Amino acid sequence: PSSDCVMAEQLCLSDSTCNATYRTLENCALAKTRLLSLDHDSRVRCLNAELDLGNSSLLHCKCHRRMKRQEHCLRIFWTVHSSMTDGYLNLETSPYENSANEEHWKTDYNKLAALVSGKNCSQLAGDATNPCLRATHICNLSKKCFRLRTDYASICTKGAASEDVCDRRKCHRGLRNFFEKVPEDFTKRILFCPCQDEFCGERRRKTIVPDCSFQYNTKPNCLWLLDSCLEDHICKSRLADFQQNCQPVDMSPDGCSLHNHAACLQAYMGMIGTPMTPNYVSNSSVEVSLWCTCENSGNQKEKCDQILRMFESNKCL
């Protein structure tokens, strides 16, 4: 239990020494959130407080993507590891625990897939040639998958027929709900369905309702997108998870430093529903990107390009 940051925090607060150290770290993290520049003594005090935790369960705690108090858990993690954010683009340690075994969910998917296969082909026109359509039909047979997919679709399309712009924050929350609460065997097949034609590719590209979740009227600068992400505990955590699990290595045969494509795909899905939501760039390829540009980046052009390259030319992903 102590590996869970919420439990670890409770244990720490019940110990006077740990409590005092943790309160110091909270002030350090708060100063960073408000972009206050710390003087030398304050920085040393913050680093010492982190070191003082020593072997405390707080220092080694993690969070789970599907836990109820996820945001609270992530706030604790970044409070304890606030010095890690100095690297800006080097959030190498993911706050998330490795995935639990989800094999039992696959049985549900296979049962429902068999039901779809048994239906009259005329009821599912195009199902055989469009794997994305088939994955959607199978999702519709699962009450949870159907409900949460319908939820985000309705939120993300509100205002589309009028002059109102959609509520992007609510749309993102609905997407995160879908990808966190629906078994991965359903969500992965909907998002990564293999397409042979543009009709299928268009359906796949529109899975996340990009007009609301992905595209702005004009492309913002990627550095602005990153700043928005680092101010948000969930986005910062998903980015750290993505950087850890999708780290490309040129010399590696599979292009991945951790040699775990399933973990990389899961980390990619975790980015959907955050300020740095990625998506397919066209109907005819599997290339993905962020909706941002590096024009007018001045002397930070290299850093900006690095952000784009995490998605656009990432061999591991």
Side-chain angles (χ1 to χ4, degrees), residues 13 77 79 102 140 161 172 184 198 200 230 235 273 290:
L13 296 180
F77 179 89
T79 295
E102 296 175 352
N140 289 346
H172 280 170
E184 267 184 32
E198 290 203 15
C200 178
L230 295 179
C235 188
L290 297 173

Side-chain angles (χ1 to χ4, degrees), residues 10-37:
Q10 290 172 2
L11 285 172
C12 177
L13 296 180
S14 64
D15 176 89
S16 57
T17 307
C18 188
N19 191 327
T21 305
Y22 183 61
R23 296 305 180 195
T24 300
L25 284 171
E26 278 189 318
N27 291 331
C28 298
L30 189 63
K32 284 203 168 191
T33 303
R34 292 176 178 171
L35 301 177
L36 301 174
S37 55

Side-chain angles (χ1 to χ4, degrees), residues 19 68 184 223 241 273 290 309:
N19 191 327
K68 284 184 179 177
E184 267 184 32
L223 293 165
D241 196 51
L290 297 173
R309 281 199 303 271

Side-chain angles (χ1 to χ4, degrees), residues 141-278:
L141 292 179
S142 160
K143 285 182 182 177
K144 180 180 269 190
C145 191
F146 175 71
R147 176 173 55 82
L148 291 172
R149 184 174 166 275
T150 304
D151 282 354
Y152 86 71
S154 62
I155 296 166
C156 298
T157 49
K158 275 184 182 173
S162 66
E163 292 178 4
D164 298 333
V165 291
C166 71
D167 190 327
R168 183 171 280 110
R169 289 177 78 90
K170 281 188 178 177
C171 174
H172 280 170
R173 200 180 309 130
L175 278 165
R176 290 201 309 271
N177 248 347
F178 176 72
F179 285 106
E180 284 172 19
K181 293 181 179 177
V182 174
E184 267 184 32
D185 215 38
F186 288 88
T187 55
K188 272 186 179 174
R189 289 174 199 248
I190 286 175
L191 195 63
F192 304 125
C193 39
C195 289
Q196 301 298 322
D197 59 57
E198 290 203 15
F199 292 110
C200 178
E202 174 72 351
R203 188 174 189 92
R204 181 174 60 191
R205 197 180 65 79
K206 289 194 169 176
T207 295
I208 65 167
V209 196
D211 289 349
C212 183
S213 69
F214 177 67
Q215 293 170 210
Y216 297 75
N217 290 332
T218 55
K219 282 189 177 182
N221 187 280
C222 299
L223 293 165
W224 177 83
L225 217 59
L226 179 65
D227 284 337
S228 303
C229 182
L230 295 179
E231 288 169 10
D232 177 280
H233 284 309
I234 284 184
C235 188
K236 180 165 63 173
S237 302
R238 302 297 172 82
L239 181 60
D241 196 51
F242 181 81
Q243 285 188 305
Q244 178 179 296
N245 289 296
C246 297
Q247 193 67 249
V249 179
D250 288 335
M251 302 300 288
S252 172
D254 66 354
C256 279
S257 63
L258 296 184
H259 312 294
N260 190 338
H261 285 284
C264 178
L265 289 182
Q266 184 184 51
Y268 172 86
M269 287 195 295
M271 295 301 300
I272 296 171
T274 71
M276 286 182 74
T277 293

